[in-house]
Structures are given as structure tokens and as C-alpha cells.
Amino acid sequence: MLNTTSLSLDQAPPISIPFRFFLTAPLFAIAAGLQLLMFGGELFVSRWLPLTLGLTHLMTLGVLGMVMCGAMLQMLPVIAGSPVPRVVLVGTLTHVLLLLGTVLLETALVTGSAPATLAAVISLGVGFAVFIAATGVALWRTAAPSTTINGMKLAVIALAATVLMGIAAALGYSGAGRIEQLALLTDFHLGWGVLGWIGLLILSVSFQLVPMFQVTPEYPLWIRRYLPNSLFIGIVVWLLFQLGFIQSEWVDLSATLVLGLVVSGYLLFSLNTLRLQYQRKRRVPDVTLLFWRLGMAMLGCCALLWVSGKLFPPIGNSRYFSILLGIGLLQGVALSIVNGMLYKIVPFLCWFHLQNRQLALMCMTVRMPHMKEFVSDKSAQRQFHLHLTGLVFAAVAAVIPNWFSRPAAALFIVSNSMLLFNLLVAVRKYRSTLKLLLPTMPGTVSGSSTTA
Amino acid sequence: MPAISTTMSADHRRCDEIFSAAEALVSAGDWSAGGDRFIAFRDAMLNHFSMEEEKLFPAFEQHLGHTMGPTQVMRMEHNQMKQLFSEMQQAVKARDDAQYLGLSETLMMIMQQHNMKEEQMLYPMMDQTLGQKGGEMARQIEAH
């Protein structure tokens, strides 16, 4: 039964909440690029090197995690019709603790300091706990269940599992706790983070956003209804197989087969998304669509790479296999989609909050800039090409690290600096328009509830 | 009997298609056909708004016992969209494609997040609370 009293269709969080997440992300991306620029090809020798783990976490926590958390706090009221409780407090705490925790974890991995590890674990643990609890409340008490909400719930559960496994692994590596089978635990952490949290969130949000914004047909009902659940069950079964006490050939094979099914599920999703986008009714050039298509194409490539690695041991056992897969999934799939989404969310929120303010003040003499005046198509497209070139260089660098890792790092830094610049231009335009709206009340312009 | 959610959601899709057609024509520089499609789109949207504001919302508000809350937010967003329609019309008149396409992008965003809230929350709730009466209204809207 739908409960009318819990329905809120208002845009919940003040603009400063999502924006602090969105503006922090490119900074961590630039930091990751600088790290690669400094250490070069060394970082691509093995995924297990502390510096490589540091780089990975700058990407997953500092860049992807930042944007995904900020976007979820922003989107839940629209998608679920149930606002995140105490969103300002939750947003502030999550942001500060994620930021601090990412810096601490990087420090811990670079220096090997046990106190830094402990501090990182506490900071990230509490930060994610606050986020998971608050978004969990919003998701589970929604009055409007949908396939997207279902997928988001599974993604949040997977996030919780990823965080717990990450904490255990960090304590194990720092020597603070005795953990059996650290390598396997790390694989679980990685698998649940990528195939659970990141993958399921992208999947469920796509069900909603791809048809609406590109005016495409809906995803087939059976995909929406069964794919997220099947993928989630897949990673649970994979975990259970791997946790089995019998270590025989058969268990390993079954676990690989289950993982193969999960990977095929994602391949199915990417092919369907590309098919729907091909059938879109909205035909105008759109930079977010370019990012999205790149992400989906890369998802297909990564699935094929994984399958060929399993079928042909020379590929699977090669030095570059896991590095290439990591670059493909994080930079190719997740970052492409996140970067593309920022170009829709940021200008829209600028416009939305300003126009709301304008209507409330009835100050109709000020002309509202439209979305493309906040972020111009030209500069967004230029950044897309930098992102794409950087991705190609990074993929080549995985195979030939000595020659290509530094150019790949430089391109990554330039691309993300340009992203940051584009976002800051939007924020500056937001602020200057807000000032025009409130000429007589300059004190309110800097109010934390309205400015980014 | 049709449901409010199916009838009104189908009308959203119809508006989306006219919107996309107008945008594509303007983007291709065909102002005369594009301008006509824009007017058709705007009229379809205004018709949709008035069905909501004059028929559906009052019936739902009567059931709730107040006019604040979800329908109030929807009305406010209708006003935001109406303001964009008038700016878009000026862009059509001035044949300013950069301005039109920037506005249409903005409109698309507000329109879709607005539709999402209606289709997933408001309409199902109306179907549930208005029952028979809601079905009858949906039938009248469809006939219209």
C-alpha cells in the first residue's frame, strides 16, 4: 500500500551537498595522475604493489566513490520519492570522512604506517556506515518500489560488504589483525566492489536514465526484473564457492563458471544499452551520450578480455592482464559514465536551484542561463577527447609501461584538470547569477544552504 | 478501465516524441517545420498540465485534505517548464539555434525528473486513492 504521508517530491539536498562531492573527485583524479607521473611504469608491474593499491584507491574511493555517493544523495528523492534523512549532516560527514579516509589510506599504503591504516579504516568505516545507513533508510522506506530501487538496494548491500572486506584486508596487511588467505579476501573485496557496488549501481540507474534522457525504448522487462538479482546471487554464490573448505579443482572451476555467468550478465547489459541508445529518438549530439557509449563499449571489451583470460592461460597469466582489466573497468567503464553524468547533473542543478530561487523571489528581470551556458558543449567535448586519448594511452601503458605510463598519466591529469575547470566555470556562473538575483541581500549569497 | 498511471505516462511519452522531433529539426536548421513542431509540443504539454491541474490534482488534494505537499511541488515545476516554453518560443522567433538547443536540454532534464516523480509515485498513488473515480477520469482523458 502506498503511503501518501511519506511522499516528498521536493528536491531535498541544498546544492552545496552534491557539489562538494563532485568538485573533490577531479582533485583525487589529478592526485592519482601525479602519482603515476612520479613513479611511472613501476606502478604497472603488479596489482599488489602498495603504490599501485594506493593509485587504485585514489580512483575507487576518491574519484568514483565521491561522485557516486554525492549523486545518490541528490537522486534518491527523485528516484525513490523518499529523501535521505538529515541529508546535510549525512552529506557533510560522508564527504569529510571519505576525503580524510582516502588521504589516510594513501598515506598508509605509501609509508606502510600501521597507525595511518587504523585511522584510515576508522574514517572510511564510519563515513561509509553513515552513508549506507542513511541511504538504506531512504531506499527501504520508499513508497515507490521499482526495478531501479531494487538494484540500488543490492548495490548498497554490496557496498557494505565491500567496505567490511576492505577493512579486514587493510587490518590484515598492516599486521594489526591476523587474517587467513589475504589474497583471496582482496579478490572478494575487489569483486564485490566492482561487480556489486559499482556495477549494480550503474545498471539500476541506467534502467531509469537511459530511456528517459535519450528517449529510447525501455530495457526489456525481464532484464530489469531479473538481471540485478541474478548478478547479486551470482556474486554471493561465487563467494560461497570460494569460501568452501574443500580446495579442489572442481570448486575453483565452479567459482570461475559462476563468475563467467556474472560477466555474461554485464555483457548482456552493455549490449542492450548500446542497442537502446542506437534506437534513441533524441538525435541531437550529446556529450554525455558519448561518455556513456564509451563506457558501455569498454564494459563489453572488459568482459571479452576476462573471458579470453580464462580460456587462454597465456593471456590470463600474463603480467598485464589484471592491470589492463583494472584500467578498463575503472577508467574505461566507471569513470566514463561518472564523468559523462557530471555534465548533466552539474549544469542542471545550477539551473534548477537558480530558477527555483527566481520563482520564489519573483525576480523575473534576471535572465536565467540555460544548461549549456554553465558547461559549454565545446569544452565538454574537448574533455571527452582528452579522456578517450588518455584511456587509449593507459591501456597501451598496461602492456608497455616504460614508454607509455608517463604520457598516460599526463593525459589523465590534463583531462581531469579540464573536467575540474569546466565544473568550476559552472559554479562561478551559478554564483554570479545568484548575486544578480539578490542585489539587495548580499549577506545571503554566501549562505551555506545555497552556494556550492 | 484505464488507469491514471498508464494514460498519463503514455501522454508523457507522446510529448517526449514531439519534443525530440522539434529538437532534431531545429538542430538541422529547419526552422519552419521545427517551429511548428515546437508549438505542437508546447500545446501538448500545456494540455497535459491542465488535465493535471484542473482535474487530477484537485481530486487527489480533496482526498488528502490539503493542497500543500506533492501536488504543490508538481505545480511549481509546471511553472518552471512554462517559463522555459516562453524562452524557447523567443528562440524560435529569433531563429537562435544555440539558445533553443540549450533551453531544450534544460527542459529535457526538468521534464524527465518531473515525469519520473509523477510516474513512479504520484500517479500510482492517485490510482490507489481515487479508485473508480480515478479510472473514470483516465477514461475521459483518453477520450479527450
Side-chain angles (χ1 to χ4, degrees):
Chain A
M1 179 77 187
L2 294 169
N3 176 5
T4 45
T5 54
S6 69
L7 180 73
S8 158
L9 297 186
D10 216 346
Q11 286 278 332
I15 196 167
S16 73
I17 295 295
F19 272 27
R20 68 185 70 179
F21 287 89
F22 298 161
L23 292 172
T24 311
L27 292 174
F28 274 114
I30 293 168
L34 286 173
Q35 184 166 331
L36 184 59
L37 196 64
M38 232 171 0
F39 295 96
E42 274 177 58
L43 295 193
F44 285 174
V45 171
S46 154
R47 60 176 261 224
W48 296 103
L49 294 175
L51 280 171
T52 311
L53 290 172
L55 184 72
T56 309
H57 285 87
L58 284 177
M59 280 293 288
T60 53
L61 293 169
V63 185
L64 302 174
M66 274 292 166
V67 180
M68 288 161 79
C69 289
M72 253 184 97
L73 294 177
Q74 173 63 43
M75 281 161 76
L76 273 178
V78 179
I79 289 185
S82 93
V84 177
R86 315 282 304 266
V87 70
V88 174
L89 181 67
V90 167
T92 308
L93 275 178
T94 307
H95 176 256
V96 169
L97 291 171
L98 256 184
L99 192 151
L100 193 68
T102 309
V103 173
L104 284 166
L105 186 66
E106 167 75 4
T107 315
L109 285 164
V110 172
T111 63
S113 145
T117 308
L118 199 65
V121 159
I122 293 171
S123 182
L124 291 169
V126 175
F128 276 122
V130 169
F131 176 79
I132 291 166
T135 48
V137 167
L139 282 168
W140 265 271
R141 77 175 179 197
T142 176
S146 67
T147 50
T148 293
I149 299 297
N150 174 51
M152 287 177 114
K153 284 180 182 173
L154 298 174
V156 169
I157 296 173
L159 172 64
T162 308
V163 172
L164 287 176
M165 293 188 272
I167 289 174
L171 293 177
Y173 285 116
S174 73
R178 258 179 55 81
I179 311 276
E180 305 273 330
Q181 303 218 28
L182 259 178
L184 192 60
L185 176 67
T186 313
D187 275 347
F188 291 157
H189 167 70
L190 176 69
W192 275 67
V194 173
L195 299 171
W197 159 238
I198 299 179
L200 287 172
L201 191 64
I202 290 178
L203 196 85
S204 44
V205 167
S206 303
F207 291 168
Q208 192 79 61
L209 299 188
V210 170
M212 287 200 133
F213 292 111
Q214 303 306 331
V215 192
T216 75
E218 295 282 345
Y219 282 85
L221 189 61
W222 62 273
I223 287 193
R224 281 182 285 151
R225 199 170 278 170
Y226 301 117
L227 190 58
N229 294 346
S230 312
L231 292 171
F232 187 80
I233 292 170
I235 55 174
V236 171
V237 173
W238 169 65
L239 183 77
L240 293 178
F241 263 124
Q242 294 277 29
L243 283 178
F245 293 101
I246 327 150
Q247 273 299 322
S248 72
E249 185 108 352
W250 191 79
V251 171
D252 275 350
L253 184 67
S254 315
T256 305
L257 279 178
V258 171
L259 213 49
L261 287 175
V262 172
V263 170
S264 324
Y266 277 111
L267 185 62
L268 181 76
F269 163 72
S270 80
L271 292 176
N272 256 284
T273 307
L274 289 169
R275 176 182 65 87
L276 293 179
Q277 286 173 338
Y278 183 72
Q279 296 174 336
R280 74 193 188 282
K281 290 231 164 71
R282 199 167 180 222
R283 284 279 159 191
V284 287
D286 177 3
V287 71
T288 298
L289 182 67
L290 292 177
F291 275 107
W292 206 288
R293 288 179 139 178
L294 173 64
M296 285 302 126
M298 287 305 298
L299 181 54
C301 292
C302 288
L304 293 178
L305 176 65
W306 184 86
V307 171
S308 40
K310 292 294 157 191
L311 291 180
F312 307 107
I315 297 180
N317 297 330
S318 67
R319 180 190 49 75
Y320 57 80
F321 177 71
S322 39
I323 299 281
L324 196 56
L325 208 52
I327 289 171
L329 287 171
L330 297 181
Q331 191 179 347
V333 182
L335 185 62
S336 297
I337 290 175
V338 154
N339 191 332
M341 287 301 291
L342 283 176
Y343 284 139
K344 284 262 188 263
I345 306 177
V346 166
F348 175 66
L349 289 180
C350 287
W351 175 85
F352 187 86
H353 285 270
L354 284 172
Q355 211 218 15
N356 250 339
R357 176 61 65 95
Q358 183 186 40
L359 288 175
L361 295 170
M362 286 314 286
C363 174
M364 308 316 269
T365 47
V366 176
R367 196 188 74 83
M368 262 317 106
H370 55 66
M371 275 173 66
K372 292 182 182 190
E373 289 175 76
F374 289 101
V375 176
S376 80
D377 272 349
K378 206 177 253 173
S379 52
Q381 261 159 19
R382 218 171 273 157
Q383 196 253 322
F384 170 77
H385 290 117
L386 279 168
H387 170 76
L388 179 63
T389 319
L391 180 62
V392 172
F393 269 74
V396 178
V399 184
I400 318 168
N402 288 340
W403 288 17
F404 285 92
S405 57
R406 285 199 169 86
L411 279 165
F412 192 71
I413 293 170
V414 175
S415 167
N416 282 286
S417 305
M418 184 148 183
L419 170 64
L420 182 64
F421 174 80
N422 286 344
L423 299 183
L424 287 174
V425 167
V427 170
R428 207 175 65 175
K429 183 105 192 158
Y430 169 83
R431 287 194 162 155
S432 61
T433 314
L434 190 68
K435 264 191 201 137
L436 291 177
L437 279 174
L438 298 167
T440 52
M441 294 182 282
T444 47
V445 173
S446 59
S448 64
S449 66
T450 51
T451 52
Chain B
M1 189 176 286
I4 292 173
S5 46
T6 41
T7 307
M8 296 303 278
S9 303
D11 200 44
H12 282 162
R13 297 292 86 77
R14 186 176 71 92
C15 294
D16 287 350
E17 289 185 14
I18 314 174
F19 167 88
S20 306
E23 196 182 42
L25 287 165
V26 169
S27 175
D30 187 346
W31 279 105
S32 71
D36 287 350
R37 287 324 278 161
F38 166 72
I39 297 297
F41 162 71
R42 189 202 56 191
D43 291 349
M45 288 291 284
L46 292 175
N47 178 50
H48 184 92
F49 291 169
S50 68
M51 286 189 291
E52 289 178 341
E53 293 185 11
E54 285 160 26
K55 289 198 170 86
L56 297 176
F57 291 178
F60 186 58
E61 283 158 354
Q62 200 177 11
H63 175 87
L64 290 181
H66 60 82
T67 56
M68 299 309 286
T71 47
Q72 185 61 24
V73 179
M74 295 296 100
R75 282 197 169 92
M76 209 172 71
E77 290 183 353
H78 287 171
N79 287 338
Q80 287 186 284
M81 286 186 264
K82 283 179 190 165
Q83 199 189 332
L84 283 170
F85 296 155
S86 71
E87 288 176 50
M88 284 165 90
Q89 188 162 18
Q90 283 165 22
V92 170
K93 214 179 269 171
R95 301 206 161 189
D96 183 344
D97 57 343
Q99 177 74 2
Y100 183 93
L101 295 172
L103 290 166
S104 74
E105 174 73 16
T106 314
L107 177 67
M108 190 64 182
M109 288 291 289
I110 177 139
M111 185 163 83
Q112 294 304 341
Q113 63 98 40
H114 177 83
N115 291 354
M116 213 186 292
K117 293 190 274 194
E118 286 186 342
E119 289 174 25
Q120 283 175 12
M121 292 159 261
L122 198 60
Y123 296 156
M125 214 168 265
M126 285 177 170
D127 280 331
Q128 216 165 60
T129 51
L130 299 178
Q132 190 85 32
K133 192 178 160 198
E136 181 55 34
M137 287 171 125
R139 201 190 54 74
Q140 284 172 10
I141 289 169
E142 250 179 30
H144 181 74

